[in-house]
Amino acid sequence: SEIPGEPTTFCETMGKADIWLIRTYWDFDYPRPFLPNFVFVGGIHCRPAKSLPQEMEEFVQSSGEHGIVVFTLGSMIKNLTAERADVIAAALGQIPQKVLWRYAGEKPKTLAPNTKLYDWLPQNDLLGHPKTRAFITHGGTNGIYEAIYHAVPLIGIPIFADQPDNMSHMKEKGMAVVLNFNTMTTLDLVDALNTVINDPRYKENAIRLSSIQHDQPMTPLDTAVFWIEFVMRHKGAKHLRPASHSLTWYQYHSLDVIAFLCFCLAVALYIPIKCCMYCFRRCRSKLKRKGKKD
């Protein structure tokens, strides 16, 4: 069937947006100027924790006063090389906490009794559990905001995309220790876990960021709903759109301004040069005529 309309590009489609819903907030991001059609809804997916499945709750309760550590590298990474998995499993076996690890690969040879593997974890519910002491994460935005929402310190093992930058934010804000996935050793991970769990500053910073996240006039979800309905009520939000979206590519990059300035500079140089050349020729012709008379 024929598709109506004219072909367009991704950039053109993005330029038609009246409102941008940004999945961060000032607990995560750094202060900087933004346009009026940028609305921050970081933590839009976060919610209070629900009860865990019975078998999982029993394992969590068996941790006693030491609590638990939640470990997942996201939905895109379900298994690791045997060498990396053994390094991680050996480190997890050296801490007194129980560990719930989302891992679908071959069982590591160094897996300790305190660590249990799961194909899937109710991440938000585990982070909101009172026995959770730390969260080992790849640094995805969803996981970071759930950790902020529930005030859980982080051990970051970023792998690709925005993850290294996300974890650098958390490290700068004093809520995380960051490790290199390819070079970290068993001792590195053990030290990071002990630091985050036993140093009270990490928990204090997590509580501070969590209080900022919760202290908003509306929840991020309600904020997003309001602005979506705002655009619908007013048939768009053109009054919030910057004029840059209506500029041509050469106007956007100020090429027309640069061309005009170059023209002015050329004229400013051309006129004095021509005047000097004219004066030089006049003087030269006078000298020649004088020489002939002599």
Side-chain angles (χ1 to χ4, degrees), residues 125-139:
D125 301 331
L126 281 169
L127 293 177
H129 199 284
K131 284 189 174 292
T132 300
R133 302 290 182 262
F135 178 35
I136 306 175
T137 175
H138 61 302

Side-chain angles (χ1 to χ4, degrees), residues 22-270:
I22 311 299
R23 291 180 55 214
T24 59
Y25 189 62
W26 303 119
D27 48 3
F28 170 86
D29 225 325
Y30 299 121
R32 60 186 188 274
F34 277 95
L35 296 169
N37 62 340
F38 279 58
V39 179
F40 293 86
V41 293
I44 189 172
H45 64 291
C46 298
R47 62 189 186 280
K50 297 179 181 179
S51 300
L52 299 175
Q54 182 177 356
E55 178 271 333
M56 190 175 290
E57 179 66 31
E58 291 175 355
F59 180 72
V60 170
Q61 292 299 334
S62 69
S63 64
E65 63 179 10
H66 295 296
I68 65 169
V69 172
V70 180
F71 181 16
T72 173
L73 295 179
S75 58
M76 296 182 66
I77 301 176
K78 298 181 180 180
N79 53 50
L80 306 170
T81 63
E83 184 271 333
R84 288 288 85 189
D86 288 340
V87 167
I88 292 172
L92 299 178
Q94 296 182 34
I95 60 174
Q97 287 76 24
K98 294 292 181 71
V99 182
L100 294 87
W101 182 4
R102 185 188 183 195
Y103 184 69
E106 185 178 347
K107 182 178 178 180
K109 298 177 181 178
T110 57
L111 191 70
N114 72 324
T115 305
K116 198 164 186 179
L117 304 181
Y118 292 89
D119 291 334
W120 175 84
L121 289 175
Q123 182 172 286
N124 182 75
D125 301 331
L126 281 169
L127 293 177
H129 199 284
K131 284 189 174 292
T132 300
R133 302 290 182 262
F135 178 35
I136 306 175
T137 175
H138 61 302
T141 306
N142 285 349
I144 286 178
Y145 262 100
E146 287 174 352
I148 292 174
Y149 184 88
H150 296 293
V152 179
L154 303 169
I155 294 94
I157 309 177
I159 298 174
F160 61 88
D162 63 337
Q163 298 163 12
D165 183 64
N166 291 344
M167 289 312 308
S168 69
H169 282 232
M170 292 294 95
K171 181 181 179 180
E172 179 68 23
K173 293 177 181 291
M175 185 177 159
V177 171
V178 181
L179 300 174
N180 186 299
F181 175 77
N182 295 314
T183 61
M184 71 175 183
T185 63
T186 295
L187 181 60
D188 291 335
L189 183 53
V190 172
D191 288 343
L193 283 163
N194 288 330
T195 299
V196 164
I197 294 171
N198 299 322
D199 188 339
R201 291 176 297 179
Y202 288 90
K203 183 64 176 179
E204 290 168 2
N205 288 325
I207 293 173
R208 176 177 57 83
L209 295 181
S210 181
S211 66
I212 295 172
Q213 169 66 22
H214 286 275
D215 194 2
Q216 301 184 52
M218 290 192 296
T219 65
L221 180 59
D222 288 339
T223 300
V225 170
F226 169 81
W227 283 105
I228 292 171
E229 293 179 345
F230 177 89
V231 173
M232 295 168 63
R233 286 195 301 270
H234 298 280
K235 298 180 180 180
K238 306 299 182 185
H239 60 290
L240 297 179
R241 281 168 48 87
S244 61
H245 290 305
S246 302
L247 299 178
T248 60
W249 66 270
Y250 58 86
Q251 290 175 321
Y252 181 83
H253 294 284
S254 299
L255 297 182
D256 53 341
V257 177
I258 295 172
F260 175 74
L261 293 176
C262 290
F263 173 77
C264 292
L265 179 62
V267 171
L269 293 174
Y270 177 79

